[in-house]
């Protein structure tokens, strides 16, 4: 994985302190909502940090508004996109007409202690920050909001400013916490989708699977197929898929990896016990189909907001490393029967397909000159590492890599265990 | 109901004078000729064969009642049996005397049961005490004994297709002794016993020749035994038991066809299907012994289709009384006067008709619901192509639209046959190339049967019309096309570009560009020049298609000229030049072409750069930066001077 961190440079002295870029404030406003003096607060739809003084909020919004207005006189279609200052960077973005999103990022800095007890000198590294990266991050914030809530305009139509502010509050309160500004990099600019390398025949099999499921369960409007967090097929258009992919790989999947790696009798694997025919399970929606009281509710997403503006149920279903997203019009009422039908239809096929893909993928790797040995061991961490070291020292082994490790409590042996899944590449 | 008759009597039956007290009718299975012998031949013998060439009429002297009459192969010699002792011969070879001669059977006290021709001049006499194999010498008007075998014979059956003679021996008649004949030689095959439902006590003849038929099914010789229902056994009805009779080795009971009813039956074999006619219900059923994978030594089969009558046959009125207004007479089917002969002949001696039985495939579409089984059935039939294609069309549209797994199964079955043919063709080609001298005899060019449905058939008859059909969900269209491509890939058959074009057109028509993009990304749509050109044409509606097309051309590595043209047409002159240089073709490209393109961009710096590049090339190749006459660049040189001045031209290197 490629990671470009704003990592500390080689420090010359031990006392130097480094600060990574961090989010100072984030706000959304619409200048049309409080045009008269004294009503400025009405313009603000969302402000983080919320505990900031009201006047302070109004002042920063006013500043942004002024800058945008001022720069518009030079180029009416392209007003200012960012404001560079010594201490921070402000990014402006107008996703919908008159709706402005602003993100203020503190520049990374180095604190150099001074001798003689003087206060330390602070060196702001404003060149370390790229407008394109943070501009993309801001746009992503909007896209992610839109994926789950639809456009600002629609919310206004449905329930006025009140509804919009509620939605913004609800979404961004959590979302901003997951924004790791220090690890944003060029990859965020492209919002790229990583595709899974696959041979033609297996790819066609996946096509065939998707088509069959869509035919049998005609409610399904779009399907996306992923393997190992990489995309193989998307029925959605690229822009929508890009943001959905971001959500899946950075938020949904990381929350659900554990059960696969756990042994069959592990407590982390509650769902599989009743169904040994396949490994399929829902990542969204009901935790268990067995529970008759559990509500059948799936997250809703908004796609094609430019033209058809569709609201969809998002069903994410996974078997081993293969994950499928089924998207169904939100107008449809999803019943337990439907979920059961989907589970029984998709589960076995997807399990088979996942092992097919895995096998094919390994064959392809072998062809390219290396052998992948994948082992899942239930061992103590120390033993695992020792084994790994042993295998690594084998002259044919060119590398080893621990994929994931999870610690859990083994009730039978009454001891803590670690579960390792790792790959060893050999010649 | 009309579309449910899957058996019919073929048109243009052979017509002959019906049997009467003065007219005896004989049928020869070998030449498929009907003999109408009037008054023992004195008032004429009319022979009607399947075509006009084999039809003859002649007279012969009435020397008593005719028991059996047959031409040798090719109508060379006529053999007539009138007594139980001898057979008479008449020469029909042109320029030979047309005189009868007679030959008595060799064995004393034996009576001749009949005879069969095995060649134009070889004949077998079957007597109750054995067989005598003769060569007829027409010029000497005598017969030469080639071989004989003494054995007690109850009755016999001869299969002309394979020249195998089957003799019923022993008291019960259920031990069958086959003999095979081949140009002057006679070989005894291993005998076998037919299992009788009840063993009679005391022993008596229990196997009748009416219950035995011999026919070739899927190029194997089978003896078919119609085993009647017996009250003592628990079987619910009669059955047909098939004994496989190989050229060498023992005969084995291999198939049992369950008839599930009782009564009078008759057997035919049409297009490798066993047809069983049932007289009392006036229906026929068919069996395909390959429809079920052989999993045990004896396979039990049920009828493929529900029983149906043969399609009603109308006899047109003839003769002076016939008037156009008169309706044709409907022929009585399953009449008790019918005689059935192998493989596919039905004769009504009383009406004077000989019909060939035919299986119509179209009605099977509605009678056999399981599409996979239907395909298996159709792929083994002779005239199956159009029917198979109509099954494919039918399963894609309308109410009977099949589910994708069914569609996939059908495609897989078709492509399996297609692939087998392609492989055979390939093996043949390789064998031919490696030197016909060595193995020309052992390799025969594979026959392309109608069951080989290739991509162009599917495209023309099924897919192109299907994709243009209104009211079909585009998702289903794409799913079907992808399923077909998947199936072809699975059988490692190279997919033709027109199928890809169909996919692309459908996707483009429904604005599904991102899907198209993904298909190209995974090389599902294989690279080809036509495909790249098609992509190029899509650029106006989907801009990334341009790059996809260029990438494809690059991968093809045989389309460098096209890439340059494409880039130049997009005014990417520098890009084109870089590309040419990267593939090492920059010494040979036309300077004029690039300069033309550079001038069109109205970018003077670009023009300068390109001009300079070619000046340098000229210098390197010819030691002089100037352009040659043949390059036709004068116009550009003038323009360059006008733009940048004379002194900007590169000076020839000082000598």
């Amino acid at each position: 994985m490629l990671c470009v961190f704003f990592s500390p440079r080689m420090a010359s002295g031990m006392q130097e302190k480094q600060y990574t870029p961090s989010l100072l404030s984030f706000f959304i406003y619409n200048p049309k909502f409080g045009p008269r003096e004294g009503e400025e607060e009405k313009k603000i739809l969302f402000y983080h940090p919320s505990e900031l003084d009201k006047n302070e909020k109004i002042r920063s919004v006013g500043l942004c508004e002024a800058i945008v207005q001022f720069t518009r006189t030079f180029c009416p279609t392209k007003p200012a996109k960012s404001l560079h200052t010594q201490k921070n960077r402000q990014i402006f973005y107008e996703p919908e007409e008159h709706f402005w999103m602003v993100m203020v990022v503190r520049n990374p800095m180095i604190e150099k202690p001074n001798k003689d007890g003087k206060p330390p000198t602070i060196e702001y590294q404003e060149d370390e920050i790229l407008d394109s990266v943070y501009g993309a991050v801001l746009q992503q914030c909007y896209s992610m909001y839109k994926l789950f809530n639809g456009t600002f305009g629609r919310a206004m139509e449905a329930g006025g400013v009140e509804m919009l502010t509620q939605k913004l509050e609800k979404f961004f309160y959590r979302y901003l916490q997951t924004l790791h500004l220090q690890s944003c990099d060029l990859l965020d600019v492209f919002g790229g989708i990583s595709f899974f390398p696959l041979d033609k025949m297996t790819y066609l099999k996946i096509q065939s699977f998707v088509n069959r499921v869509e035919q049998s369960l005609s409610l399904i409007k779009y399907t996306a197929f992923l393997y190992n967090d990489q995309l193989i097929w998307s029925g959605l258009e690229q822009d929508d898929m890009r943001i959905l992919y971001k959500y899946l790989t950075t938020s949904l999947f990381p929350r659900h990896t554990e059960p696969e790696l756990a042994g069959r009798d592990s407590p982390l694997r509650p769902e599989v016990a009743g169904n040994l025919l396949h490994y399929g399970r829902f990542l969204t929606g009901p935790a268990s189909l067995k529970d008759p009281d559990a509500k059948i509710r799936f997250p809703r997403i908004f796609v094609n907001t430019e033209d058809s503006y569709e609201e969809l149920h998002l069903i994410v279903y996974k078997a081993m490393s293969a994950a499928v997203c089924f998207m169904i019009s939100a107008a449809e009422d999803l019943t337990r029967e439907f979920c059961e039908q989907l589970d029984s239809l998709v589960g076995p096929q997807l399990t088979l397909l996942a092992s097919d893909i895995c096998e094919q993928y390994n064959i392809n790797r072998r062809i390219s000159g290396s052998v992948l040995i994948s082992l899942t061991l239930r061992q103590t961490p120390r033993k695992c590492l020792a084994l790994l070291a042993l295998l690594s020292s084998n002259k044919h082994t060119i590398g080893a890599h621990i994929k994931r490790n999870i610690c859990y409590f083994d009730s039978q042996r009454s001891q803590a265990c670690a579960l390792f899944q790792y790959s060893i590449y050999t010649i | 109901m009309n579309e449910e008759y899957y058996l019919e009597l073929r048109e243009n039956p052979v017509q002959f004078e019906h049997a009467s007290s003065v007219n005896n009718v004989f049928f020869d299975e070998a030449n498929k000729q009907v003999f109408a012998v009037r008054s023992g031949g004195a008032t004429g013998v009319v022979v009607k064969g399947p075509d006009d060439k084999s039809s003859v009429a002649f007279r012969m002297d009435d020397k008593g009642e005719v028991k059996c009459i047959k031409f040798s192969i090719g109508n060379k010699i006529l053999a007539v049996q009138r007594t139980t002792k001898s057979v008479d011969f008449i020469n029909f070879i042109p320029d030979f005397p047309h005189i009868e001669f007679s030959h008595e059977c060799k064995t004393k006290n034996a009576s001749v049961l009949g005879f069969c021709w095995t060649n134009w001049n070889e004949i077998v006499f079957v007597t109750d005490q054995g067989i005598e194999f003769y060569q007829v010498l027409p010029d000497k008007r005598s017969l030469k004994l080639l071989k004989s075998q003494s054995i007690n014979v109850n009755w016999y059956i001869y299969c002309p297709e394979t020249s195998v003679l089957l003799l019923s021996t022993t008291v019960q008649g259920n031990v069958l002794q086959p003999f095979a004949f081949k140009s002057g030689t006679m070989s005894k095959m291993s005998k076998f016993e037919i299992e009788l439902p009840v063993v009679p006590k005391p022993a008596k003849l229990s196997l009748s020749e009416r219950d035995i038929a011999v026919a070739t099914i899927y190029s194997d010789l089978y003896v078919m035994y119609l085993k009647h229902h017996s009250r003592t056994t628990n079987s619910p009805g009669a059955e047909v038991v098939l004994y496989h009779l190989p050229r060498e080795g023992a005969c084995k009971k291999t198939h049992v066809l369950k008839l599930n009813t009782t009564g009078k039956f008759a057997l035919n074999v049409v297009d490798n299907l066993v047809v069983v006619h049932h007289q009392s219900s006036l229906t026929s059923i068919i069996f395909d012994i390959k429809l079920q994978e052989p999993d045990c030594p004896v396979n039990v089969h049920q009828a493929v289709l529900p029983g149906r009558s043969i399609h009603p046959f109308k006899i047109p009125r003839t003769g002076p009384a016939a008037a156009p207004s008169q309706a044709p007479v409907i022929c009585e089917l399953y009449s008790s006067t019918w005689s059935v002969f192998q493989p596919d002949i039905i004769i009504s001696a009383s009406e004077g008709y000989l019909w060939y039985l035919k299986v119509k495939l179209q009605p099977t579409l509605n009678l056999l619901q399981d599409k996979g089984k239907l395909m298996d059935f159709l792929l083994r039939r002779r005239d199956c192509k159009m029917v198979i294609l109509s099954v494919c069309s039918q399963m894609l549209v309308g109410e009977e639209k099949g589910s994708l797994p069914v569609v996939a199964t059908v495609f897989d079955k078709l492509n399996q046959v297609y692939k087998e043919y392609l492989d055979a063709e390939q093996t043949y080609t390789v064998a031919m190339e490696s030197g016909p001298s060595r193995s020309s005899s052992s390799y025969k060019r594979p026959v392309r049967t109608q069951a080989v449905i290739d991509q162009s058939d599917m495209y023309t008859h099924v897919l192109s019309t299907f994709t243009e059909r209104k009211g079909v969900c585009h998702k289903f269209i794409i799913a079907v096309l992808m399923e077909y491509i998947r199936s072809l890939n699975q059988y490692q058959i190279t997919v033709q570009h027109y199928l890809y074009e169909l996919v692309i057109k459908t996707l483009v028509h429904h604005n599904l560009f991102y899907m198209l993009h993904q298909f190209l990304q995974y090389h599902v749509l294989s690279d080809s020049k036509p495909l790249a050109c098609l992509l190029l044409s899509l650029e106006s509606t989907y801009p990334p298609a341009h790059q996809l097309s260029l990438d494809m051309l690059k991968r093809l590595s045989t389309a460098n000229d096209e890439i340059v043209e494409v880039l130049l047409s997009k005014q990417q002159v520098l890009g084109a030049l870089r590309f040419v240089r990267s593939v090492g073709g920059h010494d040979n490209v036309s300077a004029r072409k690039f300069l033309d393109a550079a001038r069109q961009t109205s970018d003077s710096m670009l023009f300068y750069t390109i001009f300079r590049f070619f000046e340098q090339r000229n210098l390197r190749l010819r030691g002089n930066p100037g352009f040659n006459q043949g390059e036709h660049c004068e116009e550009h040189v003038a323009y360059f001077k006008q733009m940048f001045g004379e002194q900007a031209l590169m000076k020839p290197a000082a000598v």
Side-chain angles (χ1 to χ4, degrees), chain A residues 54-170:
Chain A
K54 187 178 100 181
N55 289 327
E56 195 71 25
K57 288 179 182 173
I58 291 171
R59 265 223 307 281
S60 4
V61 168
L63 175 66
C64 295
E65 220 182 315
I67 291 165
V68 168
Q69 274 310 325
F70 174 66
T71 50
R72 237 189 206 139
T73 55
F74 300 103
C75 179
T77 49
K78 287 183 193 164
K81 286 198 173 138
S82 64
L83 174 69
H84 296 209
T85 63
Q86 189 200 12
K87 292 185 180 171
N88 58 41
R89 177 82 49 103
Q90 296 199 18
I91 322 280
F92 314 121
Y93 177 49
E94 186 185 19
E96 293 171 40
E97 203 185 5
H98 303 309
F99 286 96
W100 285 87
M101 293 174 80
V102 182
M103 184 164 78
V104 185
V105 180
R106 193 197 59 200
N107 291 340
M109 55 191 185
I110 297 172
E111 208 179 69
K112 285 185 179 163
N114 279 329
K115 292 167 196 164
D116 325 325
K118 280 185 200 165
T121 349
I122 290 173
E123 219 173 78
Y124 289 98
Q125 299 174 298
E126 45 183 300
D127 297 338
E128 292 282 321
I129 280 192
L130 283 175
D131 279 351
S132 53
V133 170
Y134 289 92
V137 170
L138 188 57
Q139 286 180 26
Q140 226 168 57
C141 288
Y142 171 71
S143 299
M144 199 63 90
Y145 168 84
K146 193 177 71 174
L147 180 69
F148 290 103
N149 297 281
T151 59
F152 297 155
R154 287 279 173 141
M156 289 290 297
E157 281 168 31
V161 187
E162 207 169 307
M163 179 181 261
L164 178 61
T165 48
Q166 262 175 27
K167 279 186 172 226
L168 291 172
E169 194 71 44
K170 200 175 156 202

Side-chain angles (χ1 to χ4, degrees), chain B residues 378-509:
Chain B
L378 290 176
L379 281 168
R380 288 200 203 92
R381 305 286 74 86
R382 208 183 302 120
D383 299 318
C384 58
K385 186 172 204 155
M386 292 324 286
V387 182
I388 289 177
L389 290 169
S390 74
V391 173
C392 292
S393 299
Q394 191 199 41
M395 74 180 175
L396 298 180
V397 290
E399 288 152 29
E400 293 184 53
K401 195 168 90 174
S403 67
L404 282 171
V406 171
V407 172
T409 315
V410 169
F411 286 164
D412 284 350
K413 285 185 190 294
L414 292 182
N415 287 330
Q416 187 177 354
V417 177
Y418 179 27
K419 173 67 175 170
E420 278 163 14
Y421 168 73
L422 289 177
D423 281 350
E425 182 82 2
Q426 172 81 14
T427 320
Y428 173 77
T429 316
V430 170
M432 285 298 106
E433 278 167 2
S434 70
S437 54
R438 250 188 293 158
S439 51
S440 58
S441 57
S442 59
Y443 284 105
K444 269 190 207 157
R445 194 181 182 87
V447 184
R448 186 181 168 144
T449 64
Q450 286 217 3
V452 177
I453 308 280
D454 64 16
Q455 297 174 55
S456 81
D457 293 329
M458 279 301 278
Y459 177 84
T460 324
H461 298 282
V462 182
L463 297 174
S464 63
T465 43
F466 162 64
T467 50
E468 278 161 22
R469 228 183 139 90
K470 296 225 161 46
V472 185
C473 166
H474 66 79
K475 246 185 185 177
F476 185 66
I477 294 177
I478 293 158
V480 167
L481 293 175
M482 291 317 287
E483 205 56 68
Y484 188 57
I485 291 175
R486 179 208 50 80
S487 180
L488 289 170
N489 268 293
Q490 192 160 312
Y491 286 98
Q492 294 162 341
I493 301 168
T494 315
V495 182
Q496 296 296 321
H497 67 84
Y498 44 76
L499 288 177
Y500 294 140
E501 275 166 29
L502 210 53
V503 174
I504 296 180
K505 277 179 194 157
T506 313
L507 290 169
V508 168
H509 185 72

Side-chain angles (χ1 to χ4, degrees), chain B residues 66-109:
Chain B
V66 174
K67 287 174 178 287
C68 185
I69 178 166
K70 283 171 189 174
F71 267 117
S72 76
I73 290 155
N75 291 2
K76 296 285 195 288
I77 304 164
L78 180 73
V80 188
Q81 188 199 349
R82 296 185 174 105
T83 68
T84 55
K85 287 287 160 201
S86 65
V87 179
D88 306 328
F89 296 90
I90 307 169
N91 241 326
F92 269 73
I93 308 165
D95 310 329
F96 270 65
H98 194 87
I99 301 167
E100 264 192 62
F101 56 99
S102 183
H103 188 87
E104 209 163 290
C105 74
K106 168 179 86 85
T107 322
K108 296 275 173 276
N109 305 323

Side-chain angles (χ1 to χ4, degrees), chain B residues 52-247:
Chain B
D52 290 337
K53 248 199 296 181
S54 53
S55 301
V56 205
F58 57 89
R59 276 169 203 278
M60 60 184 189
D61 297 335
D62 184 359
K63 291 183 184 170
E65 198 199 342
V66 174
K67 287 174 178 287
C68 185
I69 178 166
K70 283 171 189 174
F71 267 117
S72 76
I73 290 155
N75 291 2
K76 296 285 195 288
I77 304 164
L78 180 73
V80 188
Q81 188 199 349
R82 296 185 174 105
T83 68
T84 55
K85 287 287 160 201
S86 65
V87 179
D88 306 328
F89 296 90
I90 307 169
N91 241 326
F92 269 73
I93 308 165
D95 310 329
F96 270 65
H98 194 87
I99 301 167
E100 264 192 62
F101 56 99
S102 183
H103 188 87
E104 209 163 290
C105 74
K106 168 179 86 85
T107 322
K108 296 275 173 276
N109 305 323
S111 58
V112 178
L113 299 174
F115 62 87
C116 24
W117 287 100
T118 62
N119 204 340
W120 79 270
N121 64 348
E122 285 164 9
I123 193 165
V124 188
F125 287 9
V126 185
T127 71
D128 56 356
Q129 291 172 36
I131 53 172
E132 297 166 16
F133 185 35
Y134 292 103
Q135 186 179 24
V136 184
L137 306 166
D139 46 343
K140 291 182 185 157
R141 293 197 277 142
S142 64
L143 272 67
K144 184 181 135 195
L145 183 70
L146 295 171
K147 214 165 181 184
S148 67
Q149 173 90 35
S150 83
I151 181 170
N152 279 324
V153 180
N154 302 312
W155 45 263
Y156 74 98
I157 285 179
Y158 179 65
C159 172
E161 265 178 277
T162 50
S163 303
V164 169
L165 180 68
L166 213 59
L167 305 177
S168 156
T169 66
T170 71
V171 181
Q172 291 172 12
N174 66 331
V175 175
L176 300 182
Q177 173 62 62
F179 286 92
F181 296 89
K182 199 180 176 186
S183 55
T185 60
M186 173 180 105
S187 51
K188 195 173 174 179
M189 294 159 77
S190 51
K191 64 180 177 189
F192 61 98
E193 192 180 326
I194 300 277
E195 291 168 30
L196 296 171
V198 224
V199 180
K201 273 179 193 162
K204 56 167 185 172
L205 187 60
S206 320
L207 186 67
S208 150
E209 61 180 301
R210 275 175 313 172
D211 295 335
I212 295 288
V214 184
T216 310
I217 306 169
Y218 293 118
S219 354
D220 282 326
L221 187 63
Y222 285 94
V223 173
M224 300 187 284
Y225 165 48
L226 189 57
K227 188 177 183 180
H228 290 283
H229 169 70
S230 91
R231 254 169 259 138
T232 50
T233 56
N234 280 331
S235 73
E239 15 179 81
V240 176
V241 184
L242 264 57
Y243 292 84
H244 178 220
L245 188 57
R247 279 274 144 181

